[in-house]
Amino acid sequence: MDETADYTLEIQIATRFLDEESTPDDDRYVFAYTIRIRNIGRLPAQLMARHWVITDANGRIEEVHGDGVVGEQPRLEPGEAFTYTSGAVLSTAVGTMEGSYDMVGDDGAQFDAPIPAFTLSIPRTLH
């Protein structure tokens, strides 16, 4: 019997500081993040919306809700992956992001796919 969950996503994240778009003297730090979402479940699912919690080093929290990601609502068959790059602007040199994707399966099942917390940091700030 196959014990693979019906709905499971693997989420991988890579970040980078965009020095050329940042102005530290004005407390503006721009970061890019690339996320790879892979369906490792048994059934297809579609990403409908996203929810982000962005926290800067001063403890300021911003919540972002929106449809899809980068203008798309990708549908992933089992084994398929979708990769996208987006960005965030912080007023501090370090911050974190975490959240979830609102997903719906072909059978109408709705579920949240948690996005693990990750750090946004200018180079040589954290050890």
Side-chain angles (χ1 to χ4, degrees), residues 30-119:
V30 182
F31 299 90
Y33 55 88
T34 299
I35 297 184
R36 181 178 182 262
I37 306 163
R38 189 166 74 96
N39 184 352
I40 59 174
R42 290 187 322 106
L43 301 174
Q46 184 172 8
L47 190 159
M48 302 305 293
R50 70 192 180 284
H51 172 228
W52 286 111
V53 178
I54 306 165
T55 306
D56 71 15
N58 294 325
R60 183 178 156 268
I61 296 172
E62 177 184 2
E63 290 199 48
V64 177
H65 297 268
D67 291 337
V69 291
V70 295
E72 296 188 47
Q73 292 179 314
R75 181 181 175 278
L76 301 173
E77 290 284 342
E80 275 189 329
F82 179 80
T83 301
Y84 73 95
T85 299
S86 191
V89 179
L90 299 178
S91 60
T92 60
V94 178
T96 62
M97 289 180 67
E98 63 185 303
S100 62
Y101 296 122
D102 298 337
M103 306 292 297
V104 64
D106 282 3
D107 61 1
Q110 296 182 5
F111 64 99
D112 286 341
I115 306 165
F118 58 95
T119 301

